[in-house]
Amino acid sequence: MSENSVNSKRTGLIYAACFLVLAVVYGIGGSRIDYAFASDPLGPRVVPVILALILGLLCFFYLRNPGEAEDFPRGATLLRVLAVPLTLVVAVLMLETAGFLLTVFFIVTVIAALFGAPLKFALAGGAVQALLWWFVFSYLLEVYLPKGIVFG
């Protein structure tokens, strides 16, 4: 077995283990959703728990027989890969305070910049996406969206 094959299997095992942890956390979070039993006998817990079980089962299959995978990213690529979930965590934390529009603007702008978009295009894309999704959720779907300090 070549060195590249061993490294790609190891990378696959790392990914599978990470997704298994994600499945467990997602399943626990989904099982803690409160709901009124009278509204729906199954409730909103069912879908997240079933998805977590399916993901966990697939992770166990992959852990047992990992296939070939890309090598684990290094250097600038690794930083970009880690910056995406970090950006989403920051966005979740700022949602109530900054509001939906600024949060979506932040997410799209940062991720576009991470993937190499020029700053003016990243900013324009963030503005267009924020307004588009505000319109879709607020007016078409009539979903409450936090306005935040700026727009509240």
Side-chain angles (χ1 to χ4, degrees):
M1 198 180 280
S2 71
E3 180 68 27
N4 285 343
S5 178
V6 171
N7 283 341
S8 71
K9 286 189 186 261
R10 185 178 308 131
T11 302
L13 291 173
I14 291 169
Y15 287 139
C18 290
F19 275 106
L20 183 61
V21 169
L22 176 68
V24 170
V25 170
Y26 187 67
I28 291 170
S31 69
R32 292 184 177 178
I33 296 173
D34 290 328
Y35 68 98
F37 182 76
S39 66
D40 183 9
L42 295 177
R45 294 180 189 172
V46 174
V47 172
V49 171
I50 288 175
L51 289 175
L53 289 172
I54 292 170
L55 179 59
L57 184 64
L58 291 173
C59 288
F60 278 121
F61 283 130
Y62 197 75
L63 282 169
R64 196 161 173 243
N65 186 18
E68 298 292 318
E70 294 288 325
D71 286 340
F72 205 73
R74 291 184 170 86
T77 304
L78 178 61
L79 290 176
R80 281 195 302 269
V81 167
L82 295 175
V84 171
L86 179 64
T87 301
L88 297 176
V89 168
V90 170
V92 167
L93 295 174
M94 68 186 269
L95 182 62
E96 285 295 324
T97 306
F100 181 83
L101 278 172
L102 289 180
T103 302
V104 172
F105 175 78
F106 170 75
I107 292 170
V108 174
T109 302
V110 169
I111 292 178
L114 284 172
F115 283 95
L119 185 59
K120 66 180 180 179
F121 292 129
L123 292 169
V128 169
Q129 288 284 322
L131 292 172
L132 170 74
W133 293 115
W134 175 269
F135 176 76
V136 167
F137 285 117
S138 191
Y139 293 104
L140 297 180
L141 299 175
E142 297 179 356
V143 174
Y144 166 76
L145 299 173
K147 294 179 180 172
I149 295 172
V150 175
F151 300 105

